[in-house]
Amino acid sequence: MPRPIAGPRSRRLHAAAAARIPGGVNSPVRAWKRLGGNPPTIASGKGAWITDVDGHRYVDYVLSWGPLLVGHAHPKVLAAVKRQMAKGLGFGAPTEPELEMAELLHGALPSLELVRLVSSGTEAAMSALRVARAATGRRLVVKCDGCYHGHADPFLVAAGSGCATLNTPDSAGVPSTITASTLSVPYNDLAAATALFAKHGKDIAAFCVEPVAGNMGLVLPKAGYLEGLRALCDRHGALLVFDEVMTGFRVAWGGWQRVIGVTPDLTCLGKVIGGGLPVAAYGGKRSVMEQVAPLGPCYQAGTLSGNPVAVSAGLATLKLAQKRGFYEQATDRLTAMISDLRDLADRATVPVQFGQAGTMWGYFFNDAEVIDWTTASRSHGPRWQAFATAMYRAGVYLAPSPYEAAFWSSAHGAAEVAHTLKAAKAAFRAAAKI
Ligand code: KE4
């Protein structure tokens, strides 16, 4: 039995946690099921590095699943949180940071004519779907195989992320009466979407899509795909929902909609806009968002929605990202590292497909281009497992699943790249032996 990745204290803590928490984790993908199921328990993070309870250090490419665009414990983010905490942790009443966040989001994403803050991406996507159904009076929602929009019932159909990792793309406990209103088509397949609209167009409330898919690994949209979805929704009177929970302020200032110039009717945000604390949002056209209570009949609420301490972490993160050259520098550094990783994989003669969108990236052990869930799921699992295990052992922390994206931060620099490439040289060779 190979040496477990996690040290003795992590293993003890995980065993104790499993006695009290389902699988010992508060989110399934953290259970490391595809890597033997013994995750390190993390004690702290600073910049691009995290340290587990056994003192093992790792360069972190999970970054709390995307939120930490400026790295762990950035002094300016911590200072902003401390300043706000000193005023109290929350009031369940309007506060100035919420207004500042709403105005910043609208400035970055003009399609957000009205925006509501919530506490998780799941809440954002669930609420956006409810508003779309209220605004259109229609029932059906369309998603893509392998895309993930959180764990609200309507979206647990052919879902990616932890559902794909655990081979549970659908979920127990979700009544078929709910999922009967959710249709799923292959990502990047405009013909399939067109055929679906031809058959159901008048009943479709929304087409919800990750503009860059990050929950089946990273899969970029084909040229014209998102533009085609926009035209289909316009033709059939459905709403186009961009789930930018992962891509928002990760791929560029604003999100992918600014990169390609396609304007959705509704957008979901999360992760980076909370800077590591629970902030998410949904918003869009005023005529649609005016359905939301207290303006309209569509109810959505939250005790901690817009919590000022959480919002202050997001604001501090976004203000750092707004600095001139932030995305260009971070993206260029990542592009350079991916180029070196590609060289190492080539020298190890193991076929790997790399992808990048701004400061998010991914890799598939696959000799064919990955364009959707079907091609992603044909990737070589044992090679991924050997590679990821070797990288963890060498102090590089990647997602414990082949169906997740990797992330980068402004704290990742030359030292982190050198450490990563040194680990990857041996890890690609380990994968090539399989
Ligand atoms: P949360 O409810 O986890 O905040 O957001 C759900 C969600 C919605 N939309 C997209 C595009 C997302 O990527 C997510 C959540 N992403 C996963 C990682 N792939 C969160 C990690 C986890 O489930 O533990």
Side-chain angles (χ1 to χ4, degrees), residues 188-266:
N188 268 327
D189 185 340
L190 202 49
T194 303
L196 195 82
F197 269 99
K199 189 173 177 187
H200 299 285
K202 64 180 179 22
D203 295 326
I204 295 174
F207 193 113
C208 187
V209 66
E210 293 179 59
V212 173
N215 286 289
M216 51 179 123
L218 184 135
V219 181
L220 291 166
K222 281 182 178 173
Y225 177 62
L226 297 171
E227 295 82 348
L229 293 182
R230 177 70 274 173
L232 275 173
C233 287
D234 289 342
R235 193 175 314 141
H236 293 274
L239 299 185
L240 179 61
V241 181
F242 272 8
D243 180 346
E244 298 225 41
V245 166
M246 188 182 285
T247 54
F249 298 93
R250 171 58 63 187
V251 297
W253 178 254
W256 195 253
Q257 55 193 270
R258 277 188 77 134
V259 173
I260 58 161
V262 172
T263 302
D265 300 298
L266 289 169

Side-chain angles (χ1 to χ4, degrees), residues 337-359:
M337 186 178 82
I338 290 172
S339 172
D340 292 338
L341 287 171
R342 186 177 283 109
D343 290 347
L344 290 172
D346 291 348
R347 265 185 258 149
T349 64
V350 62
V352 180
Q353 307 292 323
F354 290 94
Q356 179 185 358
T359 65

